[in-house]
Amino acid sequence: MELKDKYLKILKSNQRMAKGFGYTVPSSFVYPHQWLWDSCFHSIIYARLDDYDWAKDEVRALLAGQWGNGMIPHIIYRADLDRQQVDWGTEKKTSSITQPPMVAYAVEFIYQRTQDKQFVQEVFEKLDKYYQWLDKERSDDYILSIIHPWESGQDNFVPWDSVYGVKNPSNKELNKIKLDILKKYIESGLDSRKFMNKNVFNVKCLLFNSVYLRNLSSMLNLAKIIGSDKTEYYQQLIGKVKKSFKKHLYNREKNLYTSFSEGQSLSKDFEVSSIFLPLFAGVLTEAEAKELVNDYLTKQDEFWPKYPVPTVSANDQYFRPDEFWRGSVCININWFIYRGLKKYNLNVAAQSLRDKSFELVEKSGFCEYFNPINGKGYGPSDFCWSGLIFDME
Ligand code: GLC
């Protein structure tokens, strides 16, 4: 069977209906609910495969879970699927935290392919409320904080270890730490500002902020498309966020952007794949982009083993090729990097990353994560965001 047909079969079996809207679960058994950034990726993939109805519905279903204050929760549970195992400190059938804010990009992507202004009109106010919530609740000098590792989308990411004060933790330890942080967040009344001040987990995550900045450009474009009076707001905000990037997310000693917490860079003695996210955000000069790619990305012993791009550099002490967010490959990260490379016209590296990502999925299926050395796939093999390879051409 052709790779695309195989994928369409997976998509179809992961489609669900809620409140009259279709949405897609990341994986039918392991992730049987709706997740924020997964749905944005699904939406992009649907649009890429010309299924615009599903692409739009995925966004509609996501926005149906939006809280009154504007937050879009990272998980939406459905009444008919009551497998909520975690106490989120809310009566709502959702989690109480968010995830990388990719939704404006997804809507702009749909618009670019459909020219459907009415759809933009339909969702704009809700999107605006979400991005304003992020700015109001989470920003400190225009850079956003995440208050839980799950908000980064990179749950077990190595840079977060130093925030917890642990080295080489086991999965069991990590799970306990994540639940403890959530408990403390609930104890502070789900008040992000209050919780940020406690510095339990207050991280200026490079991926989250790169996604935010790129999505603010989408908001600006969407505002222009519908002639909204928010154009000025987004224009100004983009300028301010861009300026703050260098101030708060740049590690001068390493000459790299990294995540920070309490003014400290979170990757002092190792490198992770999010150093390439500034390509997606568009904050680098052409010379800086080229340098980053030559000095780190395409180095065989660092981020370019047989199957790039490992989430932790292959020559670092913390590199674990078979662990989730601790050295394995995730297709969504490859997609971000691919899109960033295209933005800077670094087409040779982009094409090669595209080819190697296809090779990986052809070899091991639509898995959740992969071993960068031997290509072995891990996690569920009906994992939908791995279909982002179809938007890598
Ligand atoms: C895991 C991932 C997260 C994703 C979720 C659903 O928790 O770390 O990024 O959104 O699974 O696929």
Side-chain angles (χ1 to χ4, degrees), residues 332-346:
N332 66 336
I333 299 297
N334 283 12
W335 175 85
F336 278 125
I337 297 172
Y338 173 86
R339 285 275 143 232
L341 291 169
K342 291 297 273 187
K343 189 192 285 269
Y344 284 92
N345 280 319
L346 297 166

Side-chain angles (χ1 to χ4, degrees), residues 26 31 35 37-38 99 153-155 324-325 368 383 385:
Y31 300 110
W35 266 261
W37 77 334
D38 296 72
Q99 237 185 359
Q154 305 151 279
D155 307 359
F324 199 29
W325 301 116
E368 185 179 16
F383 193 69
W385 86 32

Side-chain angles (χ1 to χ4, degrees), residues 21-40:
F21 301 132
Y23 71 100
T24 312
V25 297
S27 146
S28 61
F29 185 71
V30 183
Y31 300 110
H33 312 289
Q34 186 175 18
W35 266 261
L36 198 173
W37 77 334
D38 296 72
S39 270
C40 300

Side-chain angles (χ1 to χ4, degrees), residues 229-241:
D229 57 5
K230 293 285 161 57
T231 311
E232 184 75 22
Y233 167 78
Y234 284 105
Q235 190 106 51
Q236 285 190 9
L237 189 56
I238 289 167
K240 288 172 188 161
V241 175

Side-chain angles (χ1 to χ4, degrees), residues 91-103:
E91 290 299 307
K92 297 186 172 68
K93 285 211 172 272
T94 72
S95 71
S96 47
I97 57 174
T98 192
Q99 237 185 359
M102 271 298 286
V103 60

Side-chain angles (χ1 to χ4, degrees), residues 228-272:
S228 156
D229 57 5
K230 293 285 161 57
T231 311
E232 184 75 22
Y233 167 78
Y234 284 105
Q235 190 106 51
Q236 285 190 9
L237 189 56
I238 289 167
K240 288 172 188 161
V241 175
K242 261 195 186 153
K243 228 166 144 189
S244 279
F245 242 72
K246 195 111 216 188
K247 207 164 139 196
H248 298 290
L249 296 170
Y250 187 64
N251 179 332
R252 261 160 237 292
E253 275 150 43
K254 297 182 83 161
N255 191 24
L256 281 173
Y257 284 92
T258 74
S259 295
F260 277 73
S261 182
E262 297 187 58
Q264 298 292 314
S265 169
L266 293 183
S267 24
K268 286 200 183 115
D269 58 348
F270 57 92
E271 318 300 350
V272 289

